[in-house]
């Protein structure tokens, strides 16, 4: 149901103020955000419609709410940090130690690769290899058996190696006691 179809009450009053509020919102929040600001103002005022209806100057009350919403939107925008688009997945960072752009690209690639893993495997790699926890500590944090973390990590590292073009299989090791390879 459209908010402006109500014959009386809050919706009718707000719809009467709408053109004027929208013009002011364009000046306060900018043309791209004016509709959002007016909509947020409506939602804010609709929580307690009796206050708008009982106010001696409804436009002034609604305008004050609009100013508050526009200020909140401005604050939220000012806290956002815009980043450039990440590089395409196939592009690898030609990392130089002091190059911040290459470092950022390498971080994006690491995030992309971890994102390709199942959650359990990614969590094991993050905790053990990046955060420095032991297998036992990681198992306690995740609430699983240490063998589960160990196996998940092993599978994740194999998938990551395969994605980087390295040996995908398990590393072979010698059994200390029998001298056989596994």
């Amino acid at each position: 149901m459209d908010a402006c179809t109500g014959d009386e009450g809050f919706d009718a009053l707000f719809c009467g103020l709408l053109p004027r509020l929208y013009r002011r919102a364009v000046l306060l929040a900018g043309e791209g955000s004016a509709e959002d600001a007016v909509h947020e103002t409506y939602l804010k005022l609709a929580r307690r419609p009796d206050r708008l209806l009982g106010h001696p100057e409804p436009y002034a009350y609604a305008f004050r709410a609009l100013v508050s919403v526009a200020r909140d939107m401005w604050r939220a925008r000012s806290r956002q940090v815009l980043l450039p688009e990440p590089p395409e997945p196939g592009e690898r960072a030609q990392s130089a130690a002091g190059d911040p752009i290459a470092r950022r690209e390498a971080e994006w690639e690491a995030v992309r690769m971890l994102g390709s893993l199942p959650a359990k495997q990614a969590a094991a790699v993050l905790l053990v290899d990046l955060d420095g926890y032991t297998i036992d500590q990681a198992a306690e944090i995740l609430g699983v058996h240490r063998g589960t973390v160990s196996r998940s990590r092993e599978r994740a590292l194999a998938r990551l190696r395969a994605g980087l073009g390295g040996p995908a299989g398990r590393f072979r090791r010698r059994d200390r006691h029998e001298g056989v390879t596994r």
Side-chain angles (χ1 to χ4, degrees):
M1 181 171 142
D2 187 18
C4 293
T5 59
D7 295 332
E8 57 190 38
F10 176 78
D11 286 342
L13 178 59
F14 192 84
C15 285
L17 300 174
L18 195 57
R20 195 170 170 194
L21 286 175
Y22 181 74
R23 285 193 303 271
R24 297 301 177 244
V26 169
L27 297 174
L28 289 171
E31 194 166 344
S33 300
E35 289 179 7
D36 291 337
V38 172
H39 180 72
E40 290 297 319
T41 302
Y42 174 82
L43 294 176
K44 185 175 187 173
L45 294 174
R47 287 185 207 124
R48 297 200 173 161
D50 54 320
R51 289 189 177 183
L52 179 66
L53 293 171
H55 199 275
E57 190 64 40
Y59 171 75
Y61 188 80
F63 180 76
R64 178 69 184 141
L66 175 66
V67 169
S68 175
V69 166
R71 186 176 56 238
D72 290 345
M73 291 173 69
W74 178 83
R75 285 180 182 156
R77 273 195 312 268
S78 69
R79 287 190 299 260
Q80 293 177 349
V81 177
L82 299 178
L83 297 175
E85 288 294 319
E88 292 299 317
E91 297 176 15
R92 299 268 192 261
Q94 302 297 325
S95 174
D99 186 7
I101 294 174
R103 180 184 169 103
R104 176 64 67 174
E105 289 174 348
E107 289 173 1
W108 282 332
E109 185 68 12
V111 168
R112 185 193 65 77
M113 291 180 74
L114 284 172
S116 70
L117 297 173
K120 190 188 319 184
Q121 292 178 4
V125 170
L126 286 171
L127 287 173
V128 175
D129 296 306
L130 297 178
D131 292 340
Y133 289 102
T134 65
I135 299 276
D136 291 328
Q137 291 169 331
E140 187 176 329
I141 290 169
L142 296 173
V144 295
H145 190 270
R146 72 180 310 277
T148 303
V149 172
S150 180
R151 186 70 178 147
S152 294
R153 180 177 168 265
E154 183 179 333
R155 288 178 178 165
L157 292 177
R159 285 180 74 170
L160 292 174
R161 274 189 220 102
L164 291 173
R170 293 177 55 184
F171 284 112
R172 302 190 78 92
R173 60 186 167 115
R174 289 200 166 267
D175 191 336
R176 280 188 268 165
H177 302 291
E178 300 176 21
V180 294
T181 57
R182 286 200 239 182

